[in-house]
Amino acid sequence: MSKYAEIAQDIRASIEDGAIAPGERLPTVVELCELYGVSKVTVRKAVELLAEQGLVSSRRGSGTFVKATPESKGVDGRHAGDTLYIGRTDRSIGFTNEHAHQGEVSSVVHLFAIEVPPAEVAARLDLGDEDFCYHDVRTRLLDGVPLVIEDTYMPLELVPGLKRHHVEGSIYNYLRQDLGLHLASFHRIVRAVAATAEEAGRLDIAEGDPLLELEQIGFLDSGAPFEYSVSRNVGSRSALHTINIT
């Protein structure tokens, strides 16, 4: 393993065990050079790797800060100890491309709006009190069979020009192909939950049936969070495929 990767791994371990808390500033480049006995180039490469993994982001003139991710605390107040699985995955192909070879993919859009997100969502997306987001809620179907309900927020500034027809199709294709964004990593928490009456109606299942909930934050290669979403999947109709970033 290269020296910069070792440093990134060490800092990542400190973040994951809580030694460096969400929102806390990392030591400066000079301080990290002294701590690890390496050059500025090595330290910068380590920080860049952490940013690519969505663990930190840099603020001009302020330094590099640890991101708040689902592992630290869910928006409903639950901590990682309440979860079945925590992982970092790369699923940048999106639902449409993942299922396109299996049949016809379609969406029912229940909500598409521009709004100021709730404070806890704004914190996940590194937004201020008056920053706007796209907010969409949609059911994704394969050959007419509903598989998942997605509730998604995306910062207006990072995702300009999003239209309803993108939401009805593939948002990720718009991000990658039209905006040229590189979706680098996702931090995800997976939970087992029971379907509400509204969800049961949309997914054609019974109220209380088990669903697989995925709470996640998606990061660009710059380390900026571009998406916060909670999706609820019908477990009997879908499978979770995960590639862990180590």
Side-chain angles (χ1 to χ4, degrees), residues 15 18 20-25 65-69 72-73 124:
I15 293 171
I20 307 177
E24 187 174 339
R25 184 177 66 84
F65 294 80
V66 176
K67 302 294 299 177
T69 64
S72 57
K73 188 175 182 182
R124 291 288 180 262

Side-chain angles (χ1 to χ4, degrees), residues 139-228:
T139 299
R140 314 302 303 277
L141 304 92
L142 180 64
D143 288 335
V145 178
L147 300 185
V148 57
I149 298 172
E150 299 173 343
D151 188 344
T152 304
Y153 292 86
M154 290 185 171
L156 198 67
E157 185 175 354
L158 282 181
V159 189
L162 187 69
K163 305 296 183 184
R164 188 179 183 89
H165 68 87
H166 299 130
V167 179
E168 292 172 343
S170 172
I171 297 177
Y172 282 9
N173 280 352
Y174 174 68
L175 298 182
R176 291 180 299 152
Q177 298 173 12
D178 293 71
L179 298 183
L181 299 177
H182 179 208
L183 316 187
S185 64
F186 292 80
H187 292 208
R188 177 190 291 175
I189 290 176
V190 181
R191 304 183 182 96
V193 298
T196 65
E198 181 178 57
E199 290 167 342
R202 291 174 176 176
L203 294 170
D204 193 23
I205 58 178
E207 182 179 359
D209 276 2
L211 298 175
L212 192 65
E213 180 185 273
L214 279 62
E215 178 190 358
Q216 71 177 26
I217 304 174
F219 294 89
L220 302 178
D221 55 352
S222 65
F226 75 92
E227 173 195 67
Y228 171 80

